[in-house]
Amino acid sequence: MNKATRILDAASEYDISEAGALLRRGELVAIPTETVYGLAGNALDPSVAAEIYRVKGRPSDNPLIVHITEMEELPPLVEEIPEAALKLAEAFWPGPLTVIMRKSALVPKETTGGLETVAVRMPSHPAARAVIRAAGVPLAAPSANLSGLPSPSAFEHICDDLNGRVAGIMNGGDREYGLESTVITLVTKTPRVLRPGGISVEQLRAVLGDVDVDPAVLIKPEENARVSSPGMKYKHYAPRADITIVDASLETYAAFVNAQENCTALCFEGEEAYLTAPAVTYGKAYDALSQAHALFASLHKLDAIGAETVYARMPRKAGVGLAVYNRLIRAAGFKVTVPNDTFVIGLTGQTGAGKSTVSGQLVSFGCAVIDCDKVTRDPNLYSGECLEELKKAFGRDIVREDGTLDRRMLANRAFANAEATETLNRITHPVIFNRLRDEIAKCRESGKKNIVLDAPTLFEAGADVLCRRVVSVLANADERRARIMKRDGLTTEEALRRMGAQQSDEFYAGRSDFVLDNTVSVSAEAVHEMLTAMGCALN
Ligand code: TXA
Ligand code: MG
């Protein structure tokens, strides 16, 4: 802890060349990358690798990533360049993807933790690239945290960890992604993701076809098990606070946390309103990139405020969310709690996509289904103040002489444009929401554990806060139009108007744990597989 550490500025050309000179001399310099800060040193010098392990306090069998700036720097590092590596480089380099290949003799075993393979990444951050160029050698750079603590996504964090231990720390502000790169190995028969990150599994599959995900990404590796990525067996990303992930709907989460004493909540932005406990947020509920960006800083913040017992909201595992979950579950030492055994699944999607087919299949697997359309069709639901407001907004003639609601007339007026739809939602959603809550309670009392909320406007009604998981059923627009014309006896124009008032595919996909494409059909096997994957115990 007594080294003179120079603070360098990523925006200064002079400091970049200084960093290069230090690195060439075999010193260590912490540098910004687009993911997290890296603790960089000459990747081809065995004694430098040893120094990186020493400073980081990292077990020396945990290999380092070798960073390059140009494709010409790759061939000398590897035995051969697999076809798949070229495709990945074309699609994602420079960027947050690390590719594992067989190493050449040039790369010392010290750098690869004794392995015959080497992990290579081409960062996109301009300062990282400039420093590699200035150093004139590939740079080994693990995340610049001390082993076991959260990765550093902000300059202050690395200063806390590394000041006095390295020759230089370069200030490059906050990071773009905030989570480390995706690590994929090409030495297995099928390419395999060892660590999820900013490039999602879905993106990798779009380029390579088949891609596996290593089991250790999601579950705790067995003691002494052989893991493909040594980094995954160590306690990782852990702040001092004791974190438990709560697998529940937002309502259940809030009720659980509010019943605990002396705890801190780690939740999404805006959810503090549900909580009585102090809260630290990590991004927005339906925005995995924002969660990735905020997570490590939020873990640091928990330590900074002295949080001891922390209950965290469960991130979705889709897309970049998988990387968020992977880091958080390690920060939590794999502790997940499920406060109650009711499993409410939100089932949503556009009209005509075929939710009813899927809900029928869910019933056959023993789920109770609450049909929200049916709930909203109940004429008794709209009474008193709510009915008066509807009349004011859409005309007195939406109520027939016998006092019943003419739903078709209301629908035609309310779905005529986005503004009218919004007015309808504002008036009816609170009433619908309360009824749904009652229906769920009724199912629960009758002994049903798996409850499906079949709700076309799940999100708009705010009913997603009642759900532990959300499934969207989507289908191609022509198919949906044909279906609703046939089902509801609509003209093309009426059908298109109704569809126009609805949310896009992206809206649903971005908010769901699972998406089922029902343009042709959804098989019972697919539904069963989904229920199993979401951890829903089938009876
Ligand atoms: O975004 C990132 O990748 C950051 C920035 C600084 O580039 N670096 C980073 O490095 O996160 P590090 O050392 O903290 O994580 C490297 C991970 C570890 O889990 C390690 O086990 C794995 O990659 N890894 C490296 N070489 C490997 C190899 N040859 N075989 C299997 N896993 C390897
Ligand atoms: Mg790390």
Side-chain angles (χ1 to χ4, degrees):
M1 276 282 263
N2 45 18
K3 222 178 166 76
T5 300
R6 294 190 47 186
I7 301 300
L8 303 161
D9 180 359
S12 149
E13 266 178 47
Y14 179 80
D15 283 3
I16 298 260
S17 67
E18 281 296 292
L22 289 170
L23 288 160
R24 260 200 315 278
R25 246 186 273 142
E27 298 281 359
L28 306 189
V29 179
I31 59 167
T33 82
E34 73 278 20
T35 56
V36 296
Y37 279 84
L39 174 55
N42 180 354
L44 306 181
D45 182 337
S47 64
V48 168
E51 178 66 3
I52 291 178
Y53 288 120
R54 200 188 60 76
V55 168
K56 230 180 115 76
R58 178 173 184 153
S60 62
D61 67 344
N62 191 357
L64 306 172
I65 295 174
V66 177
H67 296 67
I68 59 173
T69 50
E70 306 295 337
M71 277 310 271
E72 292 89 84
E73 296 160 46
L74 180 58
L77 301 176
V78 296
E79 202 172 76
E80 58 163 356
I81 304 179
E83 185 68 34
L86 293 175
K87 286 192 195 161
L88 291 174
E90 170 77 26
F92 304 114
W93 277 1
L97 179 71
T98 297
V99 182
I100 295 174
M101 292 163 273
R102 295 199 188 287
K103 79 172 193 71
S104 71
L106 184 67
V107 183
K109 282 241 179 127
E110 284 76 1
T111 299
T112 64
L115 297 176
E116 286 300 336
T117 52
V118 60
V120 185
R121 168 163 125 76
M122 187 190 287
S124 63
H125 193 284
R129 299 174 64 76
V131 172
I132 301 170
R133 254 182 252 117
V137 285
L139 296 180
S143 47
N145 53 300
L146 299 186
S147 197
L149 294 177
S151 279
S153 50
F155 174 68
E156 304 82 69
H157 302 153
I158 39 170
C159 283
D160 290 352
D161 281 4
L162 296 178
N163 210 351
R165 297 178 199 252
V166 296
I169 299 177
M170 181 169 282
N171 187 353
D174 270 4
R175 311 291 15 96
E176 184 183 342
Y177 288 92
L179 289 187
E180 308 92 330
S181 62
T182 302
V183 178
I184 186 170
T185 178
L186 299 179
V187 303
T188 44
K189 201 155 149 250
T190 305
R192 170 171 280 230
V193 171
L194 303 182
R195 179 177 76 183
I199 304 294
S200 70
V201 177
E202 292 83 344
Q203 282 175 292
L204 293 168
R205 288 194 177 128
V207 171
L208 295 183
D210 264 3
V211 171
D212 292 339
V213 176
D214 200 277
V217 163
L218 293 174
I219 53 171
K220 186 175 184 171
E222 293 285 324
E223 217 63 54
N224 303 323
R226 252 193 56 137
V227 289
S228 351
S229 179
M232 286 196 287
K233 74 182 177 206
Y234 297 106
K235 184 171 179 187
H236 240 190
Y237 313 113
R240 279 175 280 275
D242 179 39
I243 301 182
T244 304
I245 298 179
V246 182
D247 184 6
S249 69
L250 174 56
E251 270 215 342
T252 306
Y253 167 82
F256 172 82
V257 171
N258 291 341
Q260 313 293 317
E261 271 166 36
N262 297 326
C263 72
T264 305
L266 180 61
C267 63
F268 300 123
E269 285 164 27
E271 296 178 348
E272 307 95 311
Y274 290 80
L275 301 163
T276 49
V280 169
T281 62
Y282 74 105
K284 300 189 186 74
Y286 293 120
D287 181 352
L289 267 181
S290 75
Q291 296 163 18
H293 193 92
L295 183 64
F296 288 140
S298 303
L299 296 180
H300 276 279
K301 189 160 171 201
L302 288 170
D303 278 346
I305 64 172
E308 284 173 6
T309 307
V310 174
Y311 291 104
R313 278 272 277 147
M314 170 103 153
R316 288 187 308 123
K317 295 178 202 159
V320 175
L322 184 68
V324 177
Y325 180 80
N326 169 269
R327 307 305 191 275
L328 187 56
I329 191 82
R330 280 166 172 74
F334 295 89
K335 288 194 298 301
V336 178
T337 183
V338 180
N340 71 35
D341 59 358
T342 345
F343 205 123
V344 180
I345 302 166
L347 180 67
T348 188
Q350 300 126 327
T351 179
K355 277 188 307 300
S356 328
T357 317
V358 175
S359 88
Q361 286 162 331
L362 289 166
V363 170
S364 74
F365 291 119
C367 299
V369 173
I370 299 169
D371 178 346
C372 300
D373 267 345
K374 204 154 119 204
V375 168
T376 58
R377 271 199 300 270
D378 174 2
N380 298 323
L381 186 61
Y382 312 99
S383 56
E385 214 174 290
C386 173
L387 195 58
E388 283 312 309
E389 271 197 72
L390 285 175
K391 283 200 274 190
K392 227 185 280 165
F394 298 105
R396 306 203 76 77
D397 54 342
I398 59 163
V399 177
R400 300 193 190 90
E401 276 179 16
D402 63 1
T404 58
L405 185 66
D406 185 341
R407 291 193 72 250
R408 180 152 182 177
M409 190 182 285
L410 175 62
N412 275 336
R413 289 181 189 166
F415 297 132
N417 59 60
E419 200 186 326
T421 310
E422 210 171 283
T423 305
L424 175 77
N425 292 345
R426 183 180 47 75
I427 300 171
T428 58
H429 284 160
V431 181
I432 298 171
F433 181 82
N434 282 330
R435 172 66 70 85
L436 294 180
R437 200 194 255 135
D438 292 347
E439 295 288 328
I440 291 173
K442 259 193 254 166
C443 284
R444 192 183 293 139
E445 279 153 26
S446 75
K448 284 286 186 184
K449 292 215 166 86
N450 300 330
I451 303 167
V452 175
L453 215 50
D454 177 347
T457 55
L458 184 82
F459 298 109
E460 295 89 331
D464 52 331
V465 312
L466 301 170
C467 304
R468 197 191 302 181
R469 297 283 187 281
V470 173
V471 178
S472 283
V473 184
L474 303 179
N476 143 315
D478 287 341
E479 185 57 38
R480 280 187 279 129
R481 181 175 49 79
R483 285 180 196 163
I484 62 175
M485 285 172 67
K486 189 161 161 217
R487 183 189 68 194
D488 300 343
L490 302 181
T491 64
T492 306
E493 215 186 25
E494 281 175 321
L496 286 176
R497 212 163 39 216
R498 208 176 272 188
M499 287 165 63
Q502 293 206 319
Q503 308 285 0
S504 63
D505 284 4
E506 294 70 41
F507 173 89
Y508 288 105
R511 287 166 173 72
S512 305
D513 299 278
F514 295 87
V515 172
L516 297 170
D517 186 335
N518 195 14
T519 302
V520 182
S521 66
V522 173
S523 67
E525 293 76 54
V527 172
H528 187 269
E529 202 178 293
M530 177 185 80
L531 288 170
T532 314
M534 65 172 80
C536 183
L538 301 173
N539 26 1

